[in-house]
Amino acid sequence: QHGETPSHLKRQKITKNGRVDSEDRRSRHCPYLDTINRSVLDFDFEKLCSISLSHINAYACLVCGKYFQGRGLKSHAYIHSVQFSHHVFLNLHTLKFYCLPDNYEIIDSSLEDITYVLKPTFTKQQIANLDKQAKLSRAYDGTTYLPGIVGLNNIKANDYANAVLQALSNVPPLRNYFLEEDNYKNIKRPPGDIMFLLVQRFGELMRKLWNPRNFKAHVSPHEMLQAVVLCSKKTFQITKQGDGVDFLSWFLNALHSALGGTKKKKKTIVTDVFQGSMRIFTKKLPHPDLPAEEKEQLLHNDEYQETMVESTFMYLTLDLPTAPLYKDEKEQLIIPQVPLFNILAKFNGITEKEYKTYKENFLKRFQLTKLPPYLIFCIKRFTKNNFFVEKNPTIVNFPITNVDLREYLSEEVQAVHKNTTYDLIANIVHDGKPSEGSYRIHVLHHGTGKWYELQDLQVTDILPQMITLSEAYIQIWKRRDSDETNQQGA
């Protein structure tokens, strides 16, 4: 028994015949458990030693919340325990508790709430019940919250990413897939592939957002965003405002390929949930400056005939009409409004839209051939000119439920496509100027049927009729399946 400290000897149980109890390194009773301070514990940050900045063998001090490396003699955790008399540590990887400097493992069921906050887990049954629950959870700090409707920290300028992550966390099939690590932990990746980090971090974030036993009523997306900065090669940053649509597009494609998906053949949960398809008809136009006869002549050539391609999509871009510049008599700029169905007309197979490239002009029309279970609309608010980005403030008027998209499908597809009615479940809003601006999001909580507005750490309830007054930028709509048709009378 060499190398043991006197304080450890004091706590060993000596049995009647004088033998040291075999529990010498596994005390079940640690006298320091009441020094644990749950209000300082925060496992949302990178698991790095605060001194050596190493990931290896990191422990959290449960008294002050800081992370330290190792627990052997001279290790950072050991020195911290002696210097500050902080004795209870948690190995952030193995989830085992230790008392330092005595170095024995603590086995105590009263610590399970701490391991659960570090690594929440969900059974199939719990996942199946998530959208039926309307029960508030009480965080350790006393605040109540609805699991799934929790604020995300804005570290500096990452609200564009927060809003997208919150929207995706409220898409039930996507969320359910990521809540259960078994769904993706055996996916084979090539050696040195960093993109899989996105999958792991997104799963961790989903489990934290939906944790019914959280210590606080908000979550920091720090580790998720560090994976985004790394995997996007700094295209998306924490310190610089980004564009929500660009981020959404990159993130869905990156998740799809990290899960082993491919462009054509191999599907993943991402394509199962969001991917639809359309036909794109394209017709080249003669140069506008040519004389009329010459234009007429060219239109008979092969290269000016209409062509058609089938294409998949993860989201549909809806174009806004140009905002008028006139003011009313009070010199107030009038904020124009447009009905959702006007901007959806782009996909009716008839409406033609002109596209200009550097050299040539084309007319295109679009027709939907497959509607996904969850349909994303991106409303094109920003146009980039040579010098600056302009924002179109037009308000889109949309119903929150019962949007039927049948008329945008070709007739032969209509016959086989049973359900074409959608209800809104998430609405991301961009407020303010194009370059500065901020993001907030409205989400529907399925369990209570209520709408909530989330802006970074703030969570408030909101009336559905207020949602349509905002500058909607990204929307997620859920298709009603046959059994749900009569549930929502709205």
Side-chain angles (χ1 to χ4, degrees):
Q1 300 276 343
H2 53 271
E4 307 230 288
T5 54
S7 61
H8 189 209
L9 286 169
K10 278 182 222 157
R11 228 171 290 118
Q12 285 178 349
K13 293 187 196 149
I14 308 288
T15 51
K16 281 187 184 139
N17 57 9
R19 279 208 315 263
V20 173
D21 194 313
S22 62
E23 278 198 353
D24 62 340
R25 292 228 165 245
R26 272 175 88 88
S27 167
R28 294 180 177 275
H29 309 285
C30 174
Y32 300 114
L33 292 186
D34 58 352
T35 63
I36 293 175
N37 182 359
R38 284 170 171 77
S39 59
V40 295
L41 301 184
D42 187 345
F43 302 123
D44 289 352
F45 289 86
E46 227 187 333
K47 314 294 185 276
L48 292 176
C49 168
S50 56
I51 295 166
S52 69
L53 301 182
S54 160
H55 287 96
I56 299 162
N57 221 355
Y59 288 78
C61 168
L62 300 185
V63 185
C64 65
K66 290 198 177 91
Y67 297 168
F68 298 99
Q69 192 176 7
R71 65 169 205 278
L73 272 149
K74 299 207 174 77
S75 69
H76 295 301
Y78 182 93
I79 292 164
H80 176 76
S81 75
V82 174
Q83 245 181 355
F84 294 95
S85 296
H86 292 177
H87 298 293
V88 193
F89 289 79
L90 165 60
N91 182 313
L92 293 166
H93 184 66
T94 64
L95 310 188
K96 288 181 173 175
F97 295 88
Y98 294 91
C99 183
L100 296 183
D102 305 358
N103 201 10
Y104 59 84
E105 186 181 348
I106 305 164
I107 312 265
D108 193 306
S109 59
S110 73
L111 300 173
E112 281 169 8
D113 63 331
I114 296 176
T115 18
Y116 195 84
V117 165
L118 173 58
K119 203 172 171 35
T121 50
F122 292 81
T123 62
K124 286 189 165 36
Q125 191 52 52
Q126 285 170 317
I127 292 174
N129 289 333
L130 276 182
D131 293 328
K132 300 183 183 117
Q133 279 167 347
K135 206 170 81 215
L136 283 169
S137 288
R138 185 174 290 278
Y140 181 75
D141 63 7
T143 46
T144 52
Y145 67 97
L146 269 172
I149 307 286
V150 284
L152 281 176
N153 246 345
N154 188 353
I155 297 157
K156 182 132 188 243
N158 53 278
D159 51 329
Y160 71 95
N162 284 1
V164 168
L165 295 167
Q166 276 165 324
L168 295 175
S169 84
N170 276 280
V171 174
L174 188 74
R175 171 202 69 197
N176 296 354
Y177 177 88
F178 280 97
L179 285 178
E180 219 177 327
E181 208 174 350
D182 287 354
N183 286 330
Y184 49 87
K185 72 165 186 236
N186 298 324
I187 290 176
K188 297 274 177 285
R189 298 305 297 154
D193 170 52
I194 58 162
M195 296 306 274
F196 199 69
L197 194 59
L198 277 183
V199 173
Q200 292 164 318
R201 293 284 185 259
F202 187 60
E204 284 164 17
L205 183 67
M206 290 303 100
R207 292 190 283 279
K208 284 178 174 169
L209 287 171
W210 286 90
N211 179 358
R213 293 153 51 186
N214 235 327
F215 283 179
K216 50 194 190 339
H218 64 268
V219 170
S220 173
H222 198 259
E223 287 185 286
M224 172 80 246
L225 293 169
Q226 278 181 310
V228 164
V229 174
L230 183 71
C231 296
S232 72
K233 300 188 175 64
K234 298 193 174 159
T235 306
F236 299 102
Q237 306 254 13
I238 299 176
T239 50
K240 209 164 82 226
Q241 185 68 279
D243 179 84
V245 172
D246 292 349
F247 174 66
L248 173 74
S249 172
W250 172 81
F251 188 68
L252 290 179
N253 285 310
L255 268 190
H256 171 64
S257 60
L259 288 166
T262 54
K263 277 249 188 311
K264 292 269 185 319
K265 296 269 184 294
K266 212 152 173 252
K267 302 178 92 60
T268 63
I269 183 70
V270 181
T271 47
D272 289 346
V273 172
F274 295 119
Q275 188 172 289
S277 60
M278 62 164 100
R279 289 184 190 144
I280 305 173
F281 300 89
T282 308
K283 200 159 55 180
K284 189 173 160 182
L285 293 173
H287 194 282
D289 298 345
L290 292 174
E293 305 88 72
E294 210 171 317
K295 279 189 198 166
E296 195 63 41
Q297 210 57 51
L298 284 172
L299 287 174
H300 297 299
N301 293 3
D302 277 356
E303 64 170 310
Y304 289 91
Q305 301 313 304
E306 188 170 69
T307 58
M308 190 269 283
V309 290
E310 283 270 356
S311 169
T312 56
F313 64 84
M314 291 276 212
Y315 61 88
L316 295 177
T317 303
L318 305 182
D319 307 305
L320 290 172
T322 320
L325 294 173
Y326 56 80
K327 298 179 177 182
D328 68 4
E329 53 276 15
K330 292 201 188 74
E331 283 298 296
Q332 292 293 310
L333 270 174
I334 294 169
I335 294 180
Q337 302 197 3
V338 60
L340 176 67
F341 292 100
N342 285 23
I343 55 175
L344 274 172
K346 171 181 177 179
F347 298 101
N348 63 11
I350 305 157
T351 307
E352 290 185 314
K353 185 171 189 299
E354 195 169 334
Y355 288 83
K356 293 183 168 65
T357 62
Y358 179 62
K359 289 195 177 123
E360 300 170 312
N361 295 0
F362 295 93
L363 272 185
K364 288 184 187 249
R365 54 192 183 93
F366 307 88
Q367 185 162 43
L368 305 181
T369 51
K370 178 176 170 265
L371 292 167
Y374 288 80
L375 180 59
I376 303 177
F377 289 158
C378 295
I379 295 165
K380 197 170 181 314
R381 293 211 168 268
F382 300 105
T383 40
K384 293 181 178 67
N385 293 338
N386 296 340
F387 305 107
F388 56 93
V389 179
E390 273 185 280
K391 181 178 174 187
N392 187 328
T394 301
I395 300 284
V396 179
N397 295 320
F398 53 91
I400 282 178
T401 55
N402 239 340
V403 167
D404 190 355
L405 299 178
R406 184 165 290 275
E407 62 179 281
Y408 306 103
L409 295 168
S410 60
E411 281 176 17
E412 71 275 20
V413 177
Q414 284 183 15
V416 291
H417 224 303
K418 265 210 320 249
N419 304 314
T420 54
T421 304
Y422 284 81
D423 299 316
L424 187 69
I425 59 163
N427 181 56
I428 295 178
V429 177
H430 181 277
D431 296 305
K433 295 193 177 85
S435 50
E436 300 150 14
S438 61
Y439 284 84
R440 57 193 163 103
I441 175 172
H442 304 127
V443 288
L444 173 67
H445 183 263
H446 298 281
T448 55
K450 285 192 182 137
W451 281 89
Y452 289 87
E453 177 171 280
L454 293 86
Q455 184 157 23
D456 300 331
L457 294 180
Q458 286 176 307
V459 179
T460 46
D461 37 13
I462 182 170
L463 293 167
Q465 52 270 37
M466 300 301 289
I467 294 170
T468 57
L469 303 175
S470 53
E471 293 177 45
Y473 188 35
I474 300 169
Q475 298 184 326
I476 304 182
W477 296 78
K478 175 186 188 291
R479 189 175 67 205
R480 276 191 206 179
D481 292 320
S482 347
D483 52 343
E484 300 172 325
T485 329
N486 307 321
Q487 281 179 15
Q488 289 182 300

